[in-house]
Amino acid sequence: MKDMEEKVLSIIEEHEKNGDVYQTRAGIIARVQGQFPEITSDEISLILANLSQSGNLVHIGNEYAITDTRYDEDRLARMIAKVIRCNTPSRLIDAEHAVSTVESQLGFFLSQSQQDAIVGALSSRMAIITGGPGTGKTTVLRALCDAFEASQGKDTSIYLMAPTGKAARRLFEQTGRPASTVHSILYAQRHNEESIQADLIVVDEASMLSIPLLAELLGNTKSDTQVVLVGDPDQLPAVGPGQVLKDLIASGLLVYVLTDNFRQGPESILADNVYQIRNRYTSLTYDQDHFALIESESSHDTEQLALSLYLSLRAQYGNQVQILTPVGSAGGVCSAARLNKLVQSHLNPHTPQKLEVMVDETVYRIGDRVIQCQNNGVARNGDIGTIVGIVGDSSITVQIRFDFGDDETVCYPISELEHSFLNLAYALTIHKAQGSEYDYVIIPLCKEHIFSWSNNMVYTAISRAKKRVILVGSRCVLDRGIRQPLPPCRSKLADKIHQYLTAKEKAV
């Protein structure tokens, strides 16, 4: 029975990554029997009762939730309701004067929506800044930090964070200020056993925050810390429980929307189409130089055409060309796993003279593009680089030169690369690409993936491109994906925030 309990609990925990805090009994039974058909429905029901009794799960009606996650949801709702009731910062800031000072330093005037966002954030205990591609979020991030520093002095403490390592590194590149992952800040805080000593916390890519992550972050900040969440609620949500940014926007927390489009000229076709997709309109503007759709007869043709386009563009533009697909390690036509092998076989094939090594059934060769999939002290989950050396006989070391920083080489013993630490990076899943940008993006649209696409998935994929998008395959798949909303996750965060606000009002 203990072994079966562990199997059931692991499946519940795995499904929680899809966003559901609450899972129905029927859904759990179906997922468990999908992987372990030998476990009967009665046995699963008994296991659910045991897990509830032992405190691993909370049983509410016909739904179950992991106890810690439900506690985090309730705790986060209480904290947000408290902020909404009194959203005035403890420190006095002349926000408009600070923004004026920063504009003088920048040498240009911010747009009205940018000014409103910065003044509003500086005047609040907690606020959200949102906007699509090309609306000037990067400028706002820099100006916000500069304005806060201008008003509080150089000794003020500003913490820049992002949910992933790649997003944190990009935040550093955009602002010129140190940036960390939320996880790394919380890890350090647990060891220091004191609140995060920040006067201002700015979290970029906030759509990727899960309920437990934001609950722990807010629960460990000082009472006078100002918090600004920056993100796009139309991108893919976190790989974890909840749809936090969307729920917070709906909760009544202060939200500032950047509305100006700073991408003008021919490249504005991209921004215009992103806007259309965001609003689920399938009438897009196609242009061979910036936004192209090349239709194909079969999924095999789609795969081969995507491969051909990638090899051709990469010969011209190098690493600024990226294939993005909704399917990764599951494999199959047009998956990241299969496309990576196809690209490798053409771009970096086996030769007797070229060193190579096998890790987790994947062959890596000198010259391969790779992505790190876990954080460590050297690089972050999502960092991409090139294998520049494979050395050693009895103890093999793989040398990688990452795209960030100087031409420094990182050396990994082969034992550290096991268990999906590394993957080929010619093709990436859209989830992995979130928080990154590329000049040229190729997106295969094959019919086998028709149910993998949603509006958020299409929007996120296309908004990764800075110069050109090439869609290859089925227009039917594209149109359905644009129209298909992301399935709602089973979370009660928004309802709980409303309940706590209402309860306080009644008490008053």
Side-chain angles (χ1 to χ4, degrees):
M1 180 63 76
K2 185 66 174 177
D3 180 58
M4 287 195 291
E5 284 187 6
E6 290 176 355
K7 289 177 179 177
V8 171
L9 186 57
S10 69
I11 288 174
I12 293 172
E13 290 171 340
E14 186 64 28
H15 182 74
E16 189 187 63
K17 294 177 183 178
N18 294 326
D20 288 338
V21 176
Y22 301 90
Q23 302 178 38
T24 65
R25 179 193 301 271
I28 294 171
I29 289 173
R31 285 186 288 276
V32 171
Q33 292 186 329
Q35 291 192 38
F36 305 104
E38 69 277 9
I39 305 179
T40 67
S41 299
D42 289 342
E43 286 174 326
I44 296 171
S45 295
L46 179 59
I47 289 168
L48 290 174
N50 290 342
L51 290 172
S52 300
Q53 190 173 10
S54 64
N56 289 285
L57 299 180
V58 176
H59 182 199
I60 308 164
N62 193 40
E63 294 180 323
Y64 295 85
I66 294 173
T67 302
D68 288 346
T69 305
R70 185 173 182 272
Y71 169 76
D72 286 334
E73 181 185 62
D74 192 73
R75 181 166 65 128
L76 180 57
R78 289 177 184 270
M79 288 188 286
I80 297 299
K82 183 178 180 180
V83 169
I84 292 173
R85 285 195 298 269
C86 182
N87 202 357
T88 304
S90 60
R91 58 182 59 83
L92 294 175
I93 297 177
D94 187 344
E96 293 185 0
H97 180 265
V99 169
S100 178
T101 301
V102 168
E103 284 181 323
S104 299
Q105 295 170 350
L106 291 172
F108 61 85
F109 291 108
L110 299 166
S111 72
Q112 190 61 54
S113 69
Q114 289 176 321
Q115 289 181 30
D116 292 344
I118 296 170
V119 170
L122 292 176
S123 306
S124 308
R125 164 77 171 83
M126 186 173 182
I128 296 170
I129 299 175
T130 184
T135 55
K137 289 196 295 293
T138 299
T139 300
V140 167
L141 282 167
R142 288 200 306 263
L144 172 66
C145 295
D146 291 346
F148 188 85
E149 194 172 76
S151 69
Q152 300 299 302
K154 290 288 185 181
D155 293 334
T156 193
S157 177
I158 300 174
Y159 279 41
L160 300 184
M161 307 181 196
T164 68
K166 185 62 182 288
R169 195 174 301 285
R170 186 160 165 259
L171 184 57
F172 163 70
E173 293 167 354
Q174 291 172 334
T175 64
R177 294 174 179 271
S180 306
T181 63
V182 180
H183 292 89
S184 64
I185 294 293
L186 291 174
Y187 179 81
Q189 179 274 328
R190 291 186 205 114
H191 283 72
N192 293 334
E193 296 184 352
E194 61 180 16
S195 297
I196 298 168
Q197 299 301 300
D199 299 312
L200 172 66
I201 289 177
V202 180
V203 183
D204 195 20
E205 298 291 350
S207 66
M208 299 162 69
L209 288 170
S210 66
I211 285 173
L213 191 59
L214 185 58
E216 186 175 0
L217 176 62
L218 296 184
N220 287 284
T221 59
K222 299 185 300 177
S223 59
D224 64 344
T225 299
Q226 292 178 242
V227 179
V228 182
L229 305 180
V230 182
D232 186 344
D234 294 305
Q235 289 194 29
L236 291 170
V239 180
Q243 46 186 12
V244 173
L245 186 60
K246 182 178 178 181
D247 285 345
L248 294 188
I249 289 173
S251 71
L253 199 62
L254 288 172
V255 179
Y256 298 93
V257 182
L258 303 178
T259 56
D260 303 277
N261 177 14
F262 293 97
R263 294 181 183 173
Q264 303 299 325
E267 289 165 3
S268 68
I269 290 173
L270 260 176
D272 292 343
N273 282 335
V274 166
Y275 176 82
Q276 292 288 94
I277 291 167
R278 188 178 197 171
N279 291 283
R280 298 182 191 166
Y281 299 139
T282 58
S283 298
L284 307 178
T285 301
Y286 294 100
D287 172 288
Q288 286 302 312
D289 293 327
H290 300 97
F291 198 91
L293 171 63
I294 305 173
E295 296 188 70
S296 57
E297 293 295 324
S298 68
S299 296
H300 174 75
D301 291 343
T302 296
E303 188 173 73
Q304 291 301 310
L305 188 52
L307 172 64
S308 177
L309 286 165
Y310 177 82
L311 295 174
S312 175
L313 286 171
R314 197 176 191 284
Q316 301 176 66
Y317 305 111
N319 295 331
Q320 275 305 310
V321 185
Q322 188 63 56
I323 302 175
L324 299 181
T325 173
V327 177
S329 59
V333 64
C334 290
S335 67
R338 182 152 152 177
L339 285 165
N340 274 320
K341 289 183 179 180
L342 287 171
V343 172
Q344 184 191 51
S345 67
H346 286 77
L347 199 63
N348 195 22
H350 168 79
T351 64
Q353 297 79 24
K354 187 172 292 184
L355 294 174
E356 61 182 45
V357 64
M358 173 83 77
V359 182
D360 292 338
E361 300 183 358
T362 298
V363 174
Y364 296 96
R365 303 186 181 107
I366 292 178
D368 273 332
R369 295 287 287 170
V370 292
I371 181 170
Q372 184 165 311
C373 300
Q374 299 173 30
N375 292 326
N376 62 16
V378 178
R380 298 288 182 262
N381 180 7
D383 280 334
I384 293 176
T386 302
I387 295 177
V388 295
I390 299 174
V391 299
D393 295 319
S394 59
S395 179
I396 298 174
T397 298
V398 176
Q399 300 172 334
I400 301 172
R401 181 172 295 138
F402 286 99
D403 293 348
F404 60 83
D406 301 324
D407 290 338
E408 193 174 321
T409 299
V410 178
C411 299
Y412 285 129
I414 192 170
S415 59
E416 292 186 17
L417 303 182
E418 297 172 348
H419 309 300
S420 301
F421 183 87
L422 208 65
N423 275 323
L424 293 171
Y426 304 110
L428 297 176
T429 63
I430 297 160
H431 273 100
K432 273 293 180 190
Q434 194 162 347
S436 301
E437 287 184 328
Y438 314 92
D439 286 345
Y440 304 90
V441 171
I442 299 166
I443 303 171
L445 302 163
C446 68
K447 293 178 180 177
E448 285 81 354
H449 297 171
I450 192 166
F451 297 112
S452 297
W453 288 103
S454 66
N455 179 266
N456 300 64
M457 187 77 79
V458 177
Y459 174 82
T460 302
I462 289 173
S463 60
R464 299 308 90 206
K466 293 189 287 186
K467 293 183 178 180
R468 186 183 184 191
V469 170
I470 305 177
L471 301 159
V472 183
S474 167
R475 184 189 291 266
C476 174
V477 172
L478 174 64
D479 289 350
R480 185 189 183 279
I482 292 172
R483 291 192 298 265
Q484 183 67 29
L486 192 71
C489 70
R490 291 177 175 272
S491 166
K492 298 176 183 176
L493 177 61
D495 291 340
K496 287 184 176 183
I497 294 171
H498 177 71
Q499 288 169 9
Y500 286 126
L501 286 171
T502 305
K504 182 67 175 180
E505 289 169 2
K506 288 180 179 179
V508 172

